[in-house]
Amino acid sequence: MNSVFYYSILQYRYAQSLGEVLNVGVLLLFPEQRQAVFIHPERLGRIRKLYPKFAEKTIRSYFKGIAARTSQLSKQPEIFANYEEHPRQLIDNEILIRDSSALQFGELKTAVLYTDDLSAISNQFYKLYLSFYDEDGYRTHHDESYLLKEYQKRLRRRLNSSLLRDAFTNPLTIKPEGSSFTYKFPFAWQNGTYNLVKPVSFDLKLESSIHEKATLNFGQFTLLTPYADAHNARFDVLVARPKDRGLYKPYDQAVQLLTDLPHVKIVEEEQLDSYSEKTVEALR
């Protein structure tokens, strides 16, 4: 009977409410050899591009701690014997506790030990799950910050700096009557209606994330309908589509869901030029 080994993917959950996760490491457990190996990328530029505010120092600290602990376990074979029947508990009890933090090991999976060269297995798993971190030329993640910067960039070309600075200095905060929630809009301008600008990016990895984000914003704008009625307001939503063409359909559904709401105007990325021109005309 062939020997087996176990592996678990270390995942970084940047936004748990949206289900957005990235694979950032792999733990390999070789029970018969009493060895534990943790592999991770040295370059984290891919995460930095996707999520500029991610806690890089924290992640690197976790990498260092997990690597040190697995190295220590490999020098203490008796510990493996304690978890022969429950290898998952070896991870939870000895390496990384399962909790609500952003870094968590995923499902423990079993594989056939196809070679005695454990370093070769480690290299193959790195190529399979983590090699994309070493690739250059990936596209910038078009998140909310990106959308807002692109909008500001277009306004900056047409407005003097003082007028632009004044326009973005005081973002608008709205608290619907009878609600404990508050909603912020980074920019507002008037041209017959009071236009409140909000970036909403759907440049996500999963269809479920797009659906959940659309539903979340649908609820928020629904709560704000009385405010819009009372102030002759319109919500101008700057949106970004996903890079994955396979997600265009759920993106279109998300946009349609928001479009059907009263007082909501969708501004897609390719419409930013014309939209910013209208903003400038109203501000001058």
Side-chain angles (χ1 to χ4, degrees):
M1 183 175 179
N2 290 325
S3 299
V4 300
F5 67 96
Y6 304 102
Y7 67 95
S8 178
I9 309 301
L10 183 64
Q11 297 178 324
Y12 174 56
R13 294 175 170 87
Y14 178 80
Q16 296 198 48
S17 61
L18 298 179
E20 286 285 288
V21 298
L22 285 175
N23 297 334
V24 295
V26 181
L27 178 67
L28 301 165
L29 299 176
F30 302 98
E32 291 190 12
Q33 293 77 13
R34 299 295 195 258
Q35 295 288 311
V37 178
F38 176 62
I39 52 178
H40 63 85
E42 293 298 331
R43 299 170 60 182
L44 297 179
R46 189 176 184 89
I47 305 180
R48 195 180 305 111
K49 289 289 185 181
L50 289 172
Y51 308 117
K53 295 182 180 180
F54 91 103
E56 181 173 351
K57 289 184 179 180
T58 301
I59 290 181
R60 291 194 180 279
S61 177
Y62 269 97
F63 285 173
K64 185 178 179 179
I66 294 171
R69 183 55 181 152
T70 52
S71 177
Q72 185 180 27
L73 286 173
S74 296
K75 297 174 184 178
Q76 297 175 293
E78 67 278 4
I79 294 181
F80 284 86
N82 297 333
Y83 296 98
E84 285 183 354
E85 299 297 324
H86 305 285
R88 174 72 216 199
Q89 291 182 11
L90 173 63
I91 300 176
D92 297 339
N93 295 345
E94 305 290 344
I95 299 176
L96 184 65
I97 297 172
R98 270 196 276 194
D99 54 23
S100 59
S101 60
L103 277 177
Q104 290 295 314
F105 280 107
E107 176 188 356
L108 186 68
K109 298 182 180 180
T110 306
V112 173
L113 189 70
Y114 50 88
T115 175
D116 293 330
D117 188 348
L118 304 188
S119 62
I121 295 176
S122 297
N123 290 335
Q124 289 170 358
F125 269 74
Y126 183 91
K127 290 179 181 178
L128 179 61
Y129 287 101
L130 304 172
S131 60
F132 63 89
Y133 283 100
D134 301 327
E135 298 173 0
D136 295 318
Y138 49 83
R139 291 179 55 194
T140 301
H141 180 50
H142 290 193
D143 60 6
E144 280 78 11
S145 176
Y146 173 89
L147 285 170
L148 193 59
K149 286 178 180 177
E150 287 297 305
Y151 178 46
Q152 289 177 300
K153 184 193 302 183
R154 287 162 172 77
L155 296 182
R156 192 176 294 114
R157 294 176 191 154
R158 301 173 174 91
L159 292 172
N160 64 64
S161 57
S162 61
L163 183 58
L164 182 63
R165 184 177 58 252
D166 292 342
F168 279 91
T169 297
N170 299 307
L172 183 68
T173 300
I174 300 175
K175 182 178 181 180
E177 187 175 350
S179 169
S180 59
F181 300 105
T182 58
Y183 302 103
K184 288 188 176 181
F185 293 84
F187 188 76
W189 57 284
Q190 295 197 44
N191 66 336
T193 57
Y194 189 33
N195 307 308
L196 287 76
V197 179
K198 180 184 180 181
V200 176
S201 173
F202 291 107
D203 186 11
L204 303 171
K205 298 286 186 181
L206 302 173
E207 180 175 348
S208 59
S209 297
I210 294 174
H211 289 320
E212 289 181 28
K213 195 165 188 177
T215 302
L216 176 65
N217 280 275
F218 180 90
Q220 291 178 356
F221 289 125
T222 299
L223 273 177
L224 292 171
T225 296
Y227 176 91
D229 290 335
H231 295 81
N232 190 28
R234 185 182 75 189
F235 306 113
D236 292 351
V237 186
L238 313 182
V239 298
R241 69 171 57 246
K243 297 182 183 69
D244 184 352
R245 290 181 175 272
L247 296 176
Y248 279 9
K249 183 176 180 179
Y251 165 77
D252 290 337
Q253 293 171 340
V255 168
Q256 189 60 54
L257 179 68
L258 298 180
T259 301
D260 289 342
L261 283 170
H263 311 296
V264 170
K265 174 183 173 61
I266 298 296
V267 180
E268 297 188 277
E269 281 189 81
E270 57 269 25
Q271 299 172 315
L272 279 175
D273 281 333
S274 59
Y275 178 73
S276 61
E277 287 179 4
K278 292 178 181 178
T279 305
V280 169
E281 291 172 4
L283 291 176
R284 280 176 174 166

